[in-house]
Amino acid sequence: MKPYSVVWKGPVHKASGLGRASRAYVRSLRRQGVAVRVGNLSQSITPARRKRALIYHHIPSRIQWKKERSSFDPIILNTVWETTMTPKGWLPEMNKFDAICVPSQHNKRALENSGVKVPIFIVPHGVNTKEFHPNNKKLDVPSAAGKFTFVSVFGFQHRKNPEGLLRAYWEEFSSADNVILVIKTNGYAAYENEKWIQQKIWQYKKRLGIRKDTAPVVIIGRRLSESQLKGLYTLGDAFVLPTRGEGVGLPFLEALASGVPVIATGWGGQMDFLTPNNSFLIPYQLRNPSVSMNNPHAISRKFSNLFAQKGQKWAEPDLHSLKRIMRNAYENPALCKAKGRKGRVDMFHQSWDRAGMLMKHAIEKVIRSKN
């Protein structure tokens, strides 16, 4: 094969999970010997004799086709989606790419269901098991000392189902239980800070009419350093997130790499690596997202313009089952430890080097197809 180079245009400078994945993909390609440089949406690239591939890790509708086609051949979309179908406005743009890379079987099915006709390659996310491991120093949360600790990490949006997690926990556990729930979350606007999120949550509890003396909840709405995030996982006896839909679920990977078992909805991109041996899987039913969005119990940002279109579905986890599973985890710490150990072993097979190798293979196959 003739030499080629890659320009990566994506959220590599963002602190979000998407940004972290973008940076990891770039580094993994470089470790595979691929010449990669990071670009941005405004840069113009001068054509060269060797092939220049563009990996576009943004919303597909943002691409400037005329400019990019004059500089790159091929152009590959790297994307992720959480429901059964992508937004309708994405489809015409997605079919203009030479290929699409997605991180899970769930994503591939969603794109095929949406009418994508170009080649789709599965290039999974990975996790660095040397960085995320059971010996990381625990985050200092004094109120968690000596308690069975549930940990959750998510953006404060409806898809993550914060109201379902909180309601199940409040209804199942009282102050008589030696348990605590520690939530690390974030908003999507400047005003959606830690205090604002805490107020939303306490107002929700009041609206539910829960009067019993419930077990404690700690809400962390500020940014944590990398070492603090790693210590948050190891603080947990179990990681819990009754999500309605995930393209991958990076926190699931990081929790398992940290030796912490996962309690998660049994549907979504996470099912490529979650099993009954490393996780507790919550049963669910598929519903149109508008059903729960229109429920007065919804407490977080909805993004309904993307998720609640006609034909889309995501999982509604069964809250009675979630309560039963959380109680089972709490009462069986040895089982949690065994699942966590299995999860740690499983994550050795989910490396970013594997992701880089698969992406390199996809790039070269697309280049060969265009020669």
Side-chain angles (χ1 to χ4, degrees), residues 10 59 68 75 77 83 98 100 106 109 141 145 173 175 180 189 197 200 213 245 258 289 305 324 334 338 360 364-365:
I59 294 173
E68 305 298 19
I75 299 176
L77 175 66
T83 71
D98 296 299
I100 300 175
H106 169 79
R109 287 191 295 269
V141 179
F173 298 103
S175 59
I180 190 169
I197 292 170
K200 281 280 186 180
D213 192 9
S258 303
N305 60 315
R324 175 180 50 79
K360 178 185 178 183
E364 293 179 353
K365 188 169 184 179

Side-chain angles (χ1 to χ4, degrees), residues 142-159:
S143 55
K147 288 185 170 66
F148 185 98
T149 303
F150 291 106
V151 165
S152 195
V153 178
F154 57 87
F156 197 64
Q157 61 165 299
H158 188 70
R159 177 171 59 84

Side-chain angles (χ1 to χ4, degrees), residues 6-293:
V6 170
V7 171
W8 185 281
K9 296 191 177 183
V12 292
H13 302 299
K14 291 192 175 181
S16 63
L18 202 62
R20 292 167 63 208
S22 206
R23 290 189 293 276
Y25 276 127
V26 169
R27 289 193 293 263
S28 67
L29 279 174
R30 287 172 175 165
R31 287 196 298 273
Q32 295 298 318
V34 179
V36 185
R37 81 176 181 82
V38 175
N40 60 49
L41 291 177
S42 63
Q43 282 180 310
S44 178
I45 309 298
T46 304
R49 289 184 179 179
R50 67 178 181 174
K51 290 281 187 180
R52 288 182 183 270
L54 172 62
I55 307 292
Y56 191 80
H57 195 195
H58 288 289
I59 294 173
S61 57
R62 291 177 62 188
I63 192 168
Q64 299 174 30
W65 281 109
K66 186 175 181 181
K67 186 186 81 169
E68 305 298 19
R69 280 294 182 198
S70 69
S71 301
F72 298 104
D73 187 27
I75 299 176
I76 299 171
L77 175 66
N78 189 52
T79 194
V80 63
W81 192 246
E82 295 87 3
T83 71
T84 54
M85 294 178 66
T86 62
K88 287 183 169 56
W90 286 19
L91 180 61
E93 300 302 321
M94 287 194 293
N95 277 326
K96 293 178 186 176
F97 287 87
D98 296 299
I100 300 175
C101 289
V102 295
S104 66
Q105 295 283 350
H106 169 79
N107 280 188
K108 186 176 182 181
R109 287 191 295 269
L111 266 61
E112 290 172 343
N113 289 342
S114 303
V116 170
K117 301 300 182 185
V118 300
I120 302 170
F121 296 89
I122 296 178
V123 180
H125 284 187
V127 64
N128 188 331
T129 54
K130 292 180 179 178
E131 290 186 3
F132 292 90
H133 59 78
N135 296 325
N136 280 325
K137 182 181 177 182
K138 294 181 180 182
L139 182 69
D140 184 23
V141 179
S143 55
K147 288 185 170 66
F148 185 98
T149 303
F150 291 106
V151 165
S152 195
V153 178
F154 57 87
F156 197 64
Q157 61 165 299
H158 188 70
R159 177 171 59 84
K160 302 292 186 174
N161 197 14
E163 68 277 7
L165 170 59
L166 288 161
R167 183 171 189 169
Y169 177 77
W170 283 328
E171 289 182 354
E172 183 61 29
F173 298 103
S174 73
S175 59
D177 295 300
N178 189 35
V179 65
I180 190 169
L181 171 62
V182 180
I183 293 174
K184 164 64 184 80
T185 189
N186 62 273
Y188 296 88
Y191 68 87
E192 294 178 353
N193 55 25
E194 183 175 88
K195 185 177 179 181
W196 181 87
I197 292 170
Q198 289 171 341
Q199 287 176 337
K200 281 280 186 180
I201 288 171
W202 308 141
Q203 288 168 1
Y204 171 56
K205 185 178 183 183
K206 185 177 180 181
R207 199 160 64 245
L208 286 174
I210 296 175
R211 294 183 176 86
K212 73 173 184 177
D213 192 9
T214 56
V217 177
V218 173
I219 308 297
I220 303 172
R222 62 190 180 279
R223 184 176 174 182
L224 297 180
S225 68
E226 284 293 313
S227 63
Q228 288 175 319
L229 179 62
K230 292 166 190 171
L232 174 61
Y233 287 116
T234 54
L235 177 69
D237 295 286
F239 181 92
V240 56
L241 182 60
T243 178
R244 293 181 165 104
E246 298 292 328
V248 181
L250 197 56
F252 296 138
L253 289 164
E254 293 170 347
L256 291 177
S258 303
V260 179
V262 163
I263 299 171
T265 311
W267 183 87
Q270 69 270 23
M271 294 311 296
D272 281 5
F273 55 87
L274 295 189
T275 72
N277 294 324
N278 62 30
S279 307
F280 301 87
L281 299 174
I282 311 164
Y284 64 90
Q285 290 187 330
L286 291 180
R287 294 280 186 269
N288 184 277
S290 63
V291 174
S292 58
M293 287 182 180

